[in-house]
Amino acid sequence: EEPRGPLAMLVASAATIAAGALYLYTTRESSPAKRLIAESKRLFRKKAYEASLAAATEACQLAADGSLHRTALLHLAALHHAMNRFDDSLATLDKVEAVVTDDLDLVPLLHARAEVLEAADRPLELAAEQLARARDVRRRASGPESMEAAYAAFNLARVLTLQSQKAEDAAALLQQAESLVLEAHGIALAASDATQAAT
């Protein structure tokens, strides 16, 4: 075997260092909590529901704070929802809200809570309240003419339409839903016109 020159040795050393750094990075990124969340999802797909729930609960305990803690709690809430444990899901979502510090982080929580309330056959005005809050956040964060605001308006309109089917003030709810749909439609048209004008 021919002796390697200085350049080849330098390249080999750099590759070794890079491989070590990559290993440390992936090990750090793949925390125990993340691995437990992934394992929980795998177990749920295999219909090992109680084991999935146990892994998700442990992930919440290991992820003490920050975005990973929020992610773990949201996953646990989703599991409770999927298993029709609606009260447990809502209680877990309350824990998520208690640790949220950024308004935008509220949006997935509010949507999740609205879905659970609707699935649990709770009064639809409760779900509508959550979606109205999500719409307010979207309008403040992205602007009232943004597509995010349009989607939020449409989501709220859908629940208000459902609510009108069982409410005494059906006409008022339908009028509000229609106004929201027109708002969303107007924003979408303006966005489309702006895209066409730019091309």
Side-chain angles (χ1 to χ4, degrees):
E1 182 182 354
E2 295 183 4
R4 292 186 293 179
L7 180 59
M9 293 177 66
L10 181 62
V11 170
S13 297
T16 302
I17 292 170
L22 179 61
Y23 173 78
L24 289 173
Y25 176 79
T26 54
T27 302
R28 183 189 65 200
E29 288 299 300
S30 181
S31 66
K34 284 186 178 181
R35 289 196 293 272
L36 281 166
I37 292 170
E39 177 67 5
S40 173
K41 292 177 180 178
R42 186 188 69 80
L43 289 166
F44 188 84
R45 288 193 297 269
K46 288 182 169 292
K47 300 183 179 181
Y49 301 126
E50 292 302 326
S52 172
L53 199 61
T57 301
E58 187 178 353
C60 292
Q61 294 167 348
L62 290 177
D65 51 31
S67 61
L68 183 55
H69 188 215
R70 260 194 332 271
T71 299
L73 285 170
L74 284 170
H75 171 65
L76 179 59
L79 283 182
H80 284 310
H81 181 187
M83 297 166 71
N84 295 331
R85 298 177 177 180
F86 301 123
D87 288 338
D88 289 334
S89 183
L90 291 170
T92 304
L93 290 171
D94 288 344
K95 293 179 182 178
V96 179
E97 184 165 9
V99 299
V100 166
T101 56
D102 187 326
D103 274 358
L104 275 178
D105 290 332
L106 279 174
V107 174
L109 156 71
L110 295 169
H111 279 277
R113 188 182 280 146
E115 289 177 10
V116 175
L117 289 166
E118 194 174 341
D121 204 24
R122 303 289 173 83
L124 283 169
E125 57 262 31
L126 298 178
E129 287 173 6
Q130 303 303 310
L131 295 177
R133 286 181 65 192
R135 175 173 175 256
D136 288 343
V137 171
R138 285 295 195 192
R139 285 168 63 88
R140 287 197 306 271
S142 304
E145 304 300 321
S146 65
M147 284 302 298
E148 288 81 2
Y151 292 133
F154 184 80
N155 287 332
L156 178 55
R158 181 190 66 81
V159 171
L160 290 175
T161 301
L162 291 174
Q163 187 183 344
S164 71
Q165 298 172 9
K166 301 179 181 179
E168 294 181 359
D169 56 343
L173 289 169
L174 285 173
Q175 186 175 8
Q176 187 180 353
E178 181 183 11
S179 176
L180 288 164
V181 169
L182 289 174
E183 174 187 312
H185 181 64
I187 293 171
L189 280 180
S192 177
D193 290 343
T195 300
Q196 290 179 1
T199 56

